[in-house]
Amino acid sequence: AVVSTQSTGGEDKNDGEEYSDDGRSSPPPCSFSQQIFSFDYPGTVPQTVPKVKPPIKVVGDVSGKIAIIVDDMIDEARTFLDAARLLKSEGATKVHVMVTHGIMSGTSPEELAESPNIDEVVVCNTTPIGDKTERCPKLKVIDVSIMIAEAIRRIHNGESMAHLYQNIRGDD
């Protein structure tokens, strides 16, 4: 299996290097002409430049492998659909999406269900799921309520959180 992420998540991935065209900068650098701010003092708000996302790229060989797209949340499906399409075109045999918060606004569940490029979508029950499992048969929900309750109990009692991560069984 190959684990992939569709975004750089806003953190600086350049490690002191100059900006490059490989999509590692988030947000991507903008030219001086894009940094336009108009001030008509008093009472106006400066114009802002919309964030421009770099094109997504596959780094490494995914041919003949299962690709797993990992992210913190899924709201709109478009970027996941684009990433899955790219992974399949590069030869991935299956594409699974795994996110913590499955918000899935609007028609996102239907878009994911209809996509020939996404095989499974796994989310945690950290947000209300409602009828999304009926709208998207590919959607699997992991119940994390017991783990969150135990974490709250341990924090409240001043106990170690390490136990939660060291004693995980396969059937949990």
Side-chain angles (χ1 to χ4, degrees):
V2 175
V3 178
S4 67
T5 182
Q6 63 163 3
S7 64
T8 55
E11 51 193 61
D12 187 9
K13 301 289 186 189
N14 287 322
D15 299 327
E17 299 173 13
E18 290 298 317
Y19 284 113
S20 58
D21 192 30
D22 64 359
R24 294 185 298 158
S25 57
S26 178
C30 59
S31 66
F32 183 74
S33 64
Q34 289 177 316
Q35 298 176 2
I36 300 170
F37 295 95
S38 67
F39 293 95
D40 186 19
Y41 190 80
T44 60
V45 177
Q47 295 176 351
T48 58
V49 178
K51 182 176 180 179
V52 178
K53 292 187 177 183
I56 56 175
K57 299 176 183 179
V58 175
V59 178
D61 182 22
V62 297
S63 182
K65 298 180 179 148
I66 297 171
I68 303 169
I69 301 172
V70 179
D71 209 341
D72 59 342
M73 71 173 191
I74 181 170
D75 188 3
E76 296 178 353
R78 183 183 46 80
T79 54
F80 290 91
L81 297 172
D82 292 345
R85 186 180 313 110
L86 178 62
L87 289 165
K88 283 282 181 109
S89 73
E90 293 286 325
T93 57
K94 291 184 177 184
V95 176
H96 297 275
V97 174
M98 302 185 84
V99 298
T100 304
H101 311 292
I103 298 168
M104 294 180 284
S105 299
T107 60
S108 292
E110 289 82 9
E111 293 172 20
L112 293 165
E114 294 167 4
S115 172
N117 299 313
I118 294 179
D119 297 286
E120 184 177 45
V121 180
V122 180
V123 301
C124 298
N125 64 339
T126 56
T127 60
I129 300 299
D131 66 344
K132 293 176 182 127
T133 51
E134 290 84 33
R135 293 168 55 197
C136 179
K138 298 177 182 180
L139 182 62
K140 308 293 184 245
V141 181
I142 297 174
D143 183 4
V144 293
S145 59
I146 293 172
M147 185 176 69
I148 291 173
E150 180 64 13
I152 292 169
R153 188 194 70 75
R154 288 179 168 278
I155 291 168
H156 179 74
N157 293 327
E159 298 174 21
S160 171
M161 295 290 288
H163 178 80
L164 287 175
Y165 306 106
Q166 294 171 348
N167 299 303
I168 299 175
R169 300 186 316 258
D171 59 345
D172 285 344

